Structure formats: C-alpha cells, structure tokens
Amino acid sequence: MTAAFPTALPRPVLALHGGAGTIRRDRMSAAMEAAYRAALTAILADGARQLARGDAAMDVAVEAVRRLEECELFNAGKGAVYTADERHELDASVMDGRDRAAGAVAGVTRVRNPVLAARAVMDHSGHVLLIGPAAETFAFDQGLERVAPTWFGTPQRLAQLRQARALAQGQVLDHDGQSAMAADAQAAAPEPGGPIDDRTKFGTVGAVVRDAAGHLAAATSTGGMTNKRPGRVGDSPIPGAGCYADDRSVAVSCTGTGEAFIRAAAAHEVGALMRIGGLPLTEACARVVFDELPQVGGDGGLIAVDGLGNVWLGFNTEGMYRGWVEAGGEPLVGIYRDE
C-alpha cells in the first residue's frame, strides 16, 4: 500500500507516522479509531501552523515527534513497550538535511523526551550517538526533563509483555498479533483480539519535513519491541537506517522490523536511489519497501518528502498510522490499506 502526494510547485510540508503492522478495521473500535485520528490530526494541524509562519524543518519535525512521545497511544515516550525484564529502553534520532548533521540516543530510561535528547546530541555533543546512562547524564546536563522509569509504563503495555511471555512469542512488533488471547489481554481489552491487541499499542513514531526555505529534516523515536532483550537497539536511532535527511534528495523516517531496516540501510537507500540512481521519490521508496526490505525479512513502512515537497507514505503490512499536511492546510490522516 502506498500513497504519494505530488506537487507542481515547491511547498512546505509535514508528514507523520505512528507505526506499521497488522492494523485491521474489524479489530478497531470506532472510539479507538477516532482517538488515533484525532491525535495525528491535532499534531499535524499545529505543524501546519509552524510551517506557515516559517519555522525551520528541524524545529517542526522535533516538535511533532515530541508530541507523539507525550501521547500514550504510541510506542514512544509515554506508553512505550516493555523489555523482557519489565523495563523501558527508548531510542531516538534526528537528522538535518542542510548539512547531514545528526544526533541520536539509545537505551535511555529516564529522559522524558528522547527526541529532545537526540537533538541535544546533534547540537551540543560533537558526537552522533550516545547510549544508556551516559546519554542520560548528557541530556540532564542540557536541562532536559528527568522522569522516573515507571513514568513510561501503562497497564496495556504491561499486559502486552505478559501475553508475549505466556504465548512464548519472543519479540513482537508494535502492530503484529496472533489469533489467541491471554487473560491479561482480556482485562486490558475486553473484545476478542490478538495477544498484542491492535487497540492497545501504536508503534514507532516519526516525522519528515520540508520547510519554506527548502530544507529537509527527519526525526524518529521508539520504545522498541515488546519482550525485546535488554540492550537491543533497532533502526530508529541509526542514521541511514531508520532516519535520514539530505537536502540533495530526501528526508525519511521508517517503522517496522528494525533489524531488517538496519541491514538494508533503508532510509539511506531511498536517498541513494534518488541522488545517485536518478529515481523519483515514488519509485525510490517503492523499491526499498516492496523489493529490498522483503529480501531481508523486513515488514513495515516509511514516510518521505523530497526537496519539492512531494510526499510518500507507504508500507508492506496491513496498515500504518500516518498523515501529512501542507503549510496552512488541512491534515490528511490514514490508518488502513485502502485509504
């Protein structure tokens, strides 16, 4: 499933995703669907106002992802999934298309907004990636907010972990489920559903932006995979894998099976196909999502915007929480394959 939004003239735009996976209408209550759409729409509308007043691409992308981290519907920040030892380890990255500056953090447990920590790494550390307690110390030295590790948790996410353990599933993607349901899931979600119920989890988040000056930026944040081994790091904090921006080609944010996106260097691959291979945005994105990623077991999708403001939102799964908006325009939001 893809959605491309071409433009004849350059335009400032913002696109968001909230994760890709098995997302089906018959497993979604009307109230929950409305909540997803409302959350994405509100963030996009604010981003449209930022773009209309001329805010920089990086500022718009980071603020959009920060807002997604604050919404417990999504698997980033508040509402992040649990590791196998019942903790939260969060990852995030940002990249600026003007000079390909990048910043990232991995395995943080006490920074309220990992995306702000990633930007601080880019702006103030002289490095690209900081991990664990050292990343947190740096973030707090920069004045970022500290929270207790328990702040990220929700009952639904804990139920997900216990379901995964009970059914011996191992690691589970944000939006992939099975046919059975454990008792914990029934408590968290009374209607029938998979062990990782589609109404109680929402996935890796990301934003890509083209601003009024023609610059590109990308930001990505995640809580990772339910029941992941402590210390596991996926694609989200890896520039070129889950996040990439280069004014010469494209800004990209990815979501899905992180190990596969790393092996495919998925976000950078889109840029290389455009800048070196000469492909337009739509063809480059489609080749990565539908040809390259499946060769390494990659399920998921990505959002992308090029230097003209052309937008692509696509995925090889049942659905992806997504949306986009032009400066001063009305947000467009989608969840399922057929929209």
Side-chain angles (χ1 to χ4, degrees):
M1 167 63 189
T2 64
F5 301 95
T7 181
L9 298 172
R11 61 186 176 189
V13 296
L14 162 66
L16 302 177
H17 73 75
T22 306
I23 306 168
R24 299 185 348 227
R25 278 194 173 88
D26 62 358
R27 300 284 293 280
M28 183 91 71
S29 72
M32 267 301 187
E33 179 175 329
Y36 311 160
R37 293 183 186 276
L40 292 171
T41 298
I43 296 170
L44 287 166
D46 285 345
R49 287 187 282 272
Q50 286 182 277
L51 290 169
R53 70 181 183 227
D55 287 11
M58 180 58 67
D59 293 336
V60 177
V62 169
E63 176 59 13
V65 171
R66 187 197 67 80
R67 291 273 302 277
L68 290 165
E69 290 176 341
E70 291 289 314
C71 180
E72 66 180 56
L73 297 177
F74 298 94
N75 174 24
K78 182 68 173 177
V81 299
Y82 284 83
T83 64
D85 60 354
E86 295 194 9
R87 298 185 306 112
H88 305 281
E89 294 182 352
L90 301 103
D91 310 325
S93 64
V94 300
M95 192 161 180
D96 191 328
R98 294 176 298 178
D99 56 2
R100 286 174 286 169
V105 294
V108 297
T109 64
R110 297 176 295 157
V111 180
R112 177 168 178 148
N113 294 111
V115 72
L116 298 183
R119 182 166 191 180
V121 170
M122 179 183 72
D123 289 343
H124 303 299
S125 75
H127 303 301
V128 170
L129 173 62
L130 297 178
I131 65 171
E136 294 176 334
T137 297
F138 173 79
F140 302 144
D141 287 345
Q142 298 300 311
L144 298 186
E145 184 173 353
R146 181 195 309 254
V147 294
T150 54
W151 182 83
F152 301 103
T154 64
Q156 293 88 348
R157 295 299 191 184
L158 188 57
Q160 282 185 291
L161 174 65
R162 291 171 178 169
Q163 294 158 39
R165 287 173 172 170
L167 295 168
Q169 290 177 241
Q171 298 174 350
V172 180
L173 284 179
D174 300 330
H175 303 289
D176 285 340
Q178 305 291 329
S179 58
M181 189 176 217
D184 278 340
Q186 292 175 337
E191 298 176 23
I196 305 304
D197 191 82
D198 295 315
R199 290 164 293 131
T200 60
K201 63 198 165 28
F202 292 86
T204 300
V205 305
V208 294
V209 179
R210 191 261 189 200
D211 66 22
H215 299 305
L216 304 178
T220 307
S221 182
T222 190
M225 302 170 73
T226 296
N227 204 31
K228 67 181 180 181
R229 183 185 296 273
R232 178 263 185 185
V233 177
D235 65 306
S236 295
I238 308 298
C243 187
Y244 190 72
D246 182 347
D247 278 4
R248 299 174 299 173
S249 56
V250 70
V252 181
S253 178
C254 301
T255 176
T257 46
E259 284 74 9
F261 280 73
I262 293 171
R263 292 165 61 197
H268 180 270
E269 187 81 353
V270 174
L273 287 170
M274 294 176 65
R275 184 172 62 86
I276 302 171
L279 295 185
L281 177 74
T282 298
E283 291 183 30
C285 292
R287 180 175 296 187
V288 170
V289 171
F290 301 116
D291 297 337
E292 297 297 326
L293 283 168
Q295 293 181 30
V296 290
D299 293 329
L302 61 82
I303 58 174
V305 60
D306 68 14
L308 293 176
N310 295 304
V311 178
W312 195 90
L313 307 95
F315 47 96
N316 59 26
T317 53
E318 290 294 319
M320 183 170 76
Y321 300 98
R322 64 199 187 274
W324 76 284
V325 68
E326 294 186 52
E330 293 297 321
L332 295 175
V333 171
I335 299 175
Y336 310 110
R337 272 187 174 182
D338 58 355
E339 56 180 342

